[in-house]
Amino acid sequence: MFIHGSVLPHMLEQKALGLTPDQAGDLGSYATFGMLVGALTAGTVADRIGRKKLMVACVALFSPASRLCAMAGSVGVFGLGRTLAGIDLGGLLPTAISMVSDYARAAAALSPSAC
């Protein structure tokens, strides 16, 4: 997911998966688009199923999506894996941030030095 930019020149040089420069540019944006979708839907889904369940689901689905990228035999499968991983990561980050914020507030309220 995150090392795409560093391995992309090598993939283009080796013509891995028959990758063209145009396809490489598209692949770079698939994960970002997935993160947009995941971040926009995370709040609604978290309200319905709960933050903890959403966080666990995103982590559990991120791993197979990353594995799909690693095992991809074509540009289409690689793009699908990056999109799915992006959706999961996009859902995970805001959910984790809001959970940490809630726990930090609760801990501060219990602290004897809280003002």
Side-chain angles (χ1 to χ4, degrees):
M1 191 67 197
F2 300 108
I3 62 169
H4 176 70
S6 61
V7 299
L8 189 59
H10 183 69
M11 289 177 72
L12 287 169
E13 180 183 310
Q14 299 295 317
K15 299 194 185 334
L17 304 175
L19 192 62
T20 66
D22 291 339
Q23 291 171 326
D26 291 342
L27 285 173
S29 61
Y30 289 167
T32 306
F33 176 73
M35 288 180 71
L36 170 71
V37 171
L40 290 175
T41 59
T44 304
V45 175
D47 287 344
R48 292 189 185 194
I49 68 170
R51 289 182 186 160
K52 289 180 185 177
K53 287 182 182 178
L54 177 61
M55 195 161 138
V56 169
C58 287
V59 170
L61 294 173
F62 181 77
S63 297
S66 296
R67 186 177 306 118
L68 182 63
C69 290
M71 306 292 284
S74 69
V75 174
V77 173
F78 187 62
L80 176 65
R82 284 188 55 82
T83 303
L84 293 174
I87 291 170
D88 297 326
L89 189 61
L92 177 64
L93 290 175
T95 305
I97 290 168
S98 63
M99 285 183 67
V100 167
S101 175
D102 286 348
Y103 286 126
R105 261 188 255 135
L110 295 175
S111 173
S113 63
C115 296

